[in-house]
Amino acid sequence: MPTSPEYARSVAEALKTLGLTKYEALVYVALLQVTKATATEIHELSGVPRASVYPVLDRLLQKNMVTVSHTTPKRFSATPPDNAINTLLREIEEKATYAKDVLGELWKDRTCIEGGDQELIWNILGDANITSRLRDLIYQAGNEIRIMGNWALLKDLREALEERAGEIRIDVIAEHWEGAVPEGVTVTTTVPPVWHEKGKMGERAGMLFVDGTKVMVAMGSHGEAPTALFSEAEGFVRFFSRYWDLIHGFGEKK
Amino acid sequence: MPTSPEYARSVAEALKTLGLTKYEALVYVALLQVTKATATEIHELSGVPRASVYPVLDRLLQKNMVTVSHTTPKRFSATPPDNAINTLLREIEEKATYAKDVLGELWKDRTCIEGGDQELIWNILGDANITSRLRDLIYQAGNEIRIMGNWALLKDLREALEERAGEIRIDVIAEHWEGAVPEGVTVTTTVPPVWHEKGKMGERAGMLFVDGTKVMVAMGSHGEAPTALFSEAEGFVRFFSRYWDLIHGFGEKK
DNA sequence: ACCGTGTTGTTTTTGTTGTAACAACATTTA
DNA sequence: TAAATGTTGTTACAACAAAAACAACACGGT
């Protein structure tokens, strides 16, 4: 039984995303809590069946998470978590850059299907994903950014906006702005548009124009999982562009 | 069928270490090669059974690797690999730091079993793991480093050695040294000790002393998987220390 | 009525999880 | 010294869960 309280579960979960199995996680965590142990001790400490301990330790050896001393009986010892996890992580990051390389190539010369995809409206699901997409759009903007939204949405984009502030024109419409306004950014405060009133304040809501050709709109979830829309469709862009101008008329420069 | 040749397999492998399943990888790679596609097209492109495409796309949607357009039929589009993979990676790295935190705490106050583990000799398996361990030892050295080895072993440690060069005393014994010798490092060249002659030259071989109390010896694999030994056992340390002095007598400062 | 889409089950397969049995060895006991 | 006991390391295999592969069907549009 791990002396640790509830951490056990969440840590095991974390280790699993790093590529370990449940048993591997259990054994490693158990082994961390002593300086060394025999297979049987590990079995008692971790709750993993004794017979299963051996193959598990083999795999952990390959992964450089434990070391073995060839005495009788064999003794095992955990490598310090910092080293062990960094090793795992390096492996993963390596694969990641490789995948990025190859897939990036593949993607560059993808075949352009006729019926232009620019006319479609794409959905992005999930809060984190929406923020992530907005950030990407900001970083990849060519010459102009216009963004309007509540603070819940804007606060996670400050960093990205600041970084682009020097390079391209950035206009912001917000109910308010907390902290310093970055150099090169124009902030217009105005009465809350529709999406600010809507119930829960914590929900991200707003819209982002990039280069006058792309729009992303986050609408706040109506009970469902949060969803945002992205499009380069002309009608879609024009509609929200009008809306922007309308609101902009009300606002006051800051 | 993916238009790509043999990459397909290795990329799928890489994506799996990032937490995707086989189907998820296949679908994503297929979808990358076109600007957009319906479920049926994805099925044809990827070889994944049509019925399975839907749940797979759902999961990819959650992971922000594809977007959906709610037309009839639904259209799907891959998010650019850079963004997609970074999102995956961030998730994993987050878990990793969490695990490091919690496990680091756990490890700090592990219960010290009697029969001192310092008297044991520990085995480290695998080439990468050996290098990684050597590096860790170098970074964590308190006041002195002595290292002797062939170039195959030394060349991967240059960086680590350079970093510590200013802070602590470092002595190196090598058959030769390529490139500039870092400031603060003493290199002694000498005739190749036993392990240099042994057959294959590419194999890492050598020994590392840290603070006069810890030794790690990499012996070159005799057919088996490469193995290194680590110990703080007094007899073990003394034995190799003598050996060091012996070799050192032959060498010439450089 | 027909075709393709999207959905719902069910079977097969794979890999992990869990149990049982056993040979090799060391230690104790007679 | 030899038998008895207990532990270690291995092997085989049952149980289970998740993913993969297949089959069937309701629905909407033509």
Side-chain angles (χ1 to χ4, degrees):
Chain A
M1 69 203 83
T3 47
S4 61
E6 178 49 36
Y7 293 113
R9 187 161 303 281
S10 60
V11 169
E13 208 50 45
L15 288 177
K16 274 200 262 182
T17 65
L18 292 170
L20 300 200
T21 68
K22 184 178 157 192
Y23 276 6
E24 288 168 352
L26 286 175
V27 166
Y28 180 68
V29 172
L31 202 44
L32 264 184
Q33 301 174 43
V34 294
T35 54
K36 67 175 200 290
T38 67
T40 308
E41 288 166 350
I42 291 172
H43 150 64
E44 289 161 351
L45 225 49
S46 65
V48 172
R50 198 177 61 86
S52 302
V53 163
Y54 293 96
V56 168
L57 281 169
D58 274 344
R59 280 177 276 160
L60 288 177
L61 279 180
Q62 305 298 327
K63 293 178 179 167
N64 200 24
M65 303 196 71
V66 307
T67 48
V68 60
S69 181
H70 282 149
T71 52
T72 48
K74 289 181 184 170
R75 309 280 157 139
F76 299 89
S77 174
T79 72
D82 246 51
N83 303 338
I85 292 180
N86 281 340
T87 305
L88 290 180
L89 210 49
R90 195 169 327 125
E91 205 79 14
I92 293 175
E93 281 166 350
E94 219 164 88
K95 299 278 180 95
T97 38
Y98 170 70
K100 265 195 276 192
D101 276 9
V102 176
L103 295 179
E105 276 312 306
L106 246 185
W107 186 67
K108 255 187 10 199
D109 37 67
R110 78 208 108 116
T111 72
C112 266
I113 295 282
E114 50 299 342
D117 64 321
Q118 293 120 356
E119 289 311 309
L120 294 176
I121 293 164
W122 300 100
N123 293 47
I124 290 102
L125 271 64
D127 233 13
N129 293 341
I130 293 171
T131 313
S132 161
R133 272 306 188 87
L134 286 168
R135 240 188 242 119
D136 291 338
L137 281 171
I138 290 171
Y139 281 122
Q140 285 154 21
N143 53 62
E144 180 225 32
I145 289 174
R146 286 184 283 162
I147 183 167
M148 168 194 316
N150 63 8
W151 186 243
L153 180 124
L154 289 173
K155 72 171 191 296
D156 291 326
L157 302 173
R158 271 177 299 179
E159 215 181 328
L161 288 171
E162 275 174 39
E163 195 158 327
R164 303 306 310 277
E167 314 166 42
I168 59 180
R169 172 181 175 75
I170 300 183
D171 284 314
V172 178
I173 297 181
E175 18 169 14
H176 69 285
W177 184 272
E178 297 175 15
V181 175
E183 189 71 31
V185 175
T186 313
V187 174
T188 309
T189 56
T190 181
V191 289
V194 266
W195 40 50
H196 297 151
E197 330 177 13
K198 273 228 170 180
K200 309 143 191 177
M201 264 315 292
E203 293 194 350
R204 288 169 239 275
M207 51 201 271
L208 168 70
F209 291 83
V210 175
D211 302 339
T213 59
K214 297 172 215 150
V215 183
M216 186 160 154
V217 191
M219 304 167 296
S221 53
H222 4 76
E224 307 299 310
T227 301
L229 303 180
F230 170 83
S231 184
E232 306 178 72
E234 206 178 315
F236 192 82
V237 173
R238 194 149 44 209
F239 175 84
F240 284 102
S241 190
R242 290 265 166 79
Y243 188 68
W244 169 281
D245 291 338
L246 182 68
I247 303 292
H248 198 262
F250 294 151
E252 45 178 60
K253 295 277 184 343
K254 194 179 191 179
Chain B
M1 68 204 85
T3 47
S4 61
E6 179 50 34
Y7 293 113
R9 187 163 302 283
S10 60
V11 169
E13 209 50 46
L15 288 177
K16 273 200 260 182
T17 63
L18 292 169
L20 299 201
T21 68
K22 183 178 159 194
Y23 275 5
E24 287 168 354
L26 285 174
V27 166
Y28 180 66
V29 172
L31 202 43
L32 263 185
Q33 302 175 43
V34 295
T35 54
K36 68 174 201 289
T38 66
T40 306
E41 288 165 349
I42 291 172
H43 150 65
E44 289 160 351
L45 226 49
S46 66
V48 173
R50 198 177 61 84
S52 301
V53 163
Y54 294 98
V56 168
L57 281 169
D58 273 345
R59 279 176 277 162
L60 287 176
L61 239 16
Q62 305 297 329
K63 293 178 180 167
N64 200 25
M65 304 196 67
V66 308
T67 47
V68 60
S69 180
H70 283 150
T71 51
T72 48
K74 288 180 183 172
R75 310 277 159 150
F76 298 89
S77 175
T79 72
D82 248 50
N83 303 338
I85 292 181
N86 282 339
T87 306
L88 290 180
L89 210 49
R90 195 169 326 124
E91 205 80 14
I92 293 176
E93 282 165 348
E94 218 164 90
K95 298 276 179 95
T97 37
Y98 171 70
K100 266 195 275 191
D101 276 8
V102 176
L103 295 179
E105 276 311 308
L106 244 186
W107 187 67
K108 254 188 9 198
D109 36 66
R110 79 208 107 117
T111 71
C112 268
I113 296 282
E114 51 298 342
D117 65 321
Q118 292 120 359
E119 288 312 306
L120 294 176
I121 292 164
W122 300 101
N123 292 46
I124 290 100
L125 271 65
D127 233 15
N129 293 341
I130 292 171
T131 313
S132 161
R133 272 306 189 89
L134 287 168
R135 238 187 243 120
D136 292 338
L137 280 172
I138 289 171
Y139 281 122
Q140 285 153 22
N143 53 64
E144 181 225 31
I145 290 175
R146 284 185 286 162
I147 182 166
M148 168 194 317
N150 64 10
W151 185 245
L153 179 125
L154 289 172
K155 71 171 192 297
D156 291 327
L157 301 174
R158 272 177 299 181
E159 214 182 327
L161 288 171
E162 275 173 41
E163 196 158 324
R164 303 307 309 278
E167 314 165 42
I168 58 180
R169 172 181 175 74
I170 300 183
D171 284 314
V172 178
I173 296 181
E175 19 170 15
H176 69 286
W177 183 272
E178 298 176 14
V181 175
E183 187 73 30
V185 175
T186 312
V187 174
T188 308
T189 57
T190 181
V191 290
V194 266
W195 41 50
H196 296 151
E197 329 176 14
K198 275 229 171 182
K200 309 145 192 175
M201 262 315 293
E203 292 194 351
R204 288 168 239 274
M207 51 201 270
L208 168 70
F209 291 83
V210 175
D211 302 339
T213 59
K214 297 172 215 152
V215 183
M216 185 160 155
V217 189
M219 306 168 295
S221 53
H222 5 76
E224 308 299 308
T227 301
L229 303 181
F230 170 83
S231 183
E232 304 177 74
E234 206 177 316
F236 192 83
V237 173
R238 196 150 43 208
F239 175 85
F240 284 102
S241 191
R242 292 262 168 80
Y243 189 69
W244 169 280
D245 292 338
L246 182 67
I247 303 291
H248 198 261
F250 294 151
E252 44 177 60
K253 295 279 186 341
K254 195 180 192 179

